[in-house]
Amino acid sequence: MSRLQGQAGARVADGELPREGGPDRPITLVAVGVLFQADGKFLLTTRPPGKAYAGHWEFPGGKIEAGETVAQALTRELQEELGITIANPQPWKTERIDYPHALVELHFCKVHQWTGALQMKEGQDFSWQQLPVSVSPVLPGTLPVLEWLAQAQSSISNSALPTAA
């Protein structure tokens, strides 16, 4: 993914490819869950067959429907896709990605609580990961989160270093 800034300050994915819908295409709002286990591992799932970037690894979530909050959309999407019921999603960060097929605004939430066993209802795979991730290819919209997690991990590591007196 290019670090070039595209439309509306978005990160550009696959910048060599044409953009469907031209320069005035709408922004698709998406709720995304970053599910953490107690040991710090996070959940990645694959994009289902038939969707753009099928087989790429991503954090689960989906489109925010009219009238829904981010939390409501994320709760609905994770129930539909994974068969789990989340509790207390914590809004975290927002990122725009300019894909060839869509301009998306990703609303990332941290999720530490859920009930139910994971069920891959759309035929996707899943993997509990830690940095550096061992799965590929990774969806361009997943990369910012991996960067944020790496920065946080680095900050924690650096805070443990002795300081000069």
Side-chain angles (χ1 to χ4, degrees):
M1 179 169 69
S2 169
R3 285 208 169 268
L4 298 173
Q5 295 297 303
Q7 182 180 16
R11 291 184 186 221
V12 177
D14 297 319
E16 70 282 2
L17 298 176
R19 308 287 108 169
E20 292 177 20
D24 296 323
R25 61 193 176 151
I27 295 172
T28 301
L29 302 178
V30 178
V32 183
V34 182
L35 280 69
F36 290 98
Q37 291 181 321
D39 64 4
K41 289 184 178 175
F42 48 85
L43 180 70
L44 290 177
T45 60
T46 54
R47 303 262 310 151
K51 290 195 176 179
Y53 291 88
H56 283 65
W57 291 89
E58 67 175 350
F59 292 98
K63 290 180 187 173
I64 300 170
E65 302 294 342
E68 281 185 319
T69 65
V70 171
Q72 288 168 336
L74 187 58
T75 300
R76 176 184 51 75
E77 286 286 345
L78 296 185
Q79 180 64 52
E80 290 173 1
E81 291 178 17
L82 307 179
I84 61 172
T85 302
I86 63 170
N88 304 316
Q90 302 164 3
W92 187 22
K93 297 185 183 224
T94 301
E95 185 78 23
R96 282 192 182 167
I97 307 290
D98 184 349
Y99 287 107
H101 70 285
L103 178 61
V104 297
E105 184 174 277
L106 303 169
H107 293 262
F108 294 99
C109 296
K110 291 182 179 181
V111 179
H112 295 276
Q113 301 171 324
W114 62 88
T115 56
L118 292 175
Q119 306 166 41
M120 300 295 111
K121 293 187 170 191
E122 296 182 344
Q124 67 275 51
D125 289 327
F126 76 95
S127 180
W128 290 101
Q129 292 285 304
Q130 58 190 7
L131 295 176
V133 297
S134 62
V135 294
S136 68
V138 174
L139 187 70
T142 297
L143 297 175
V145 178
L146 300 178
E147 292 169 8
W148 301 330
L149 293 172
Q151 289 168 357
Q153 194 174 64
S154 175
S155 295
I156 290 168
S157 297
N158 290 339
S159 68
L161 295 174
T163 56

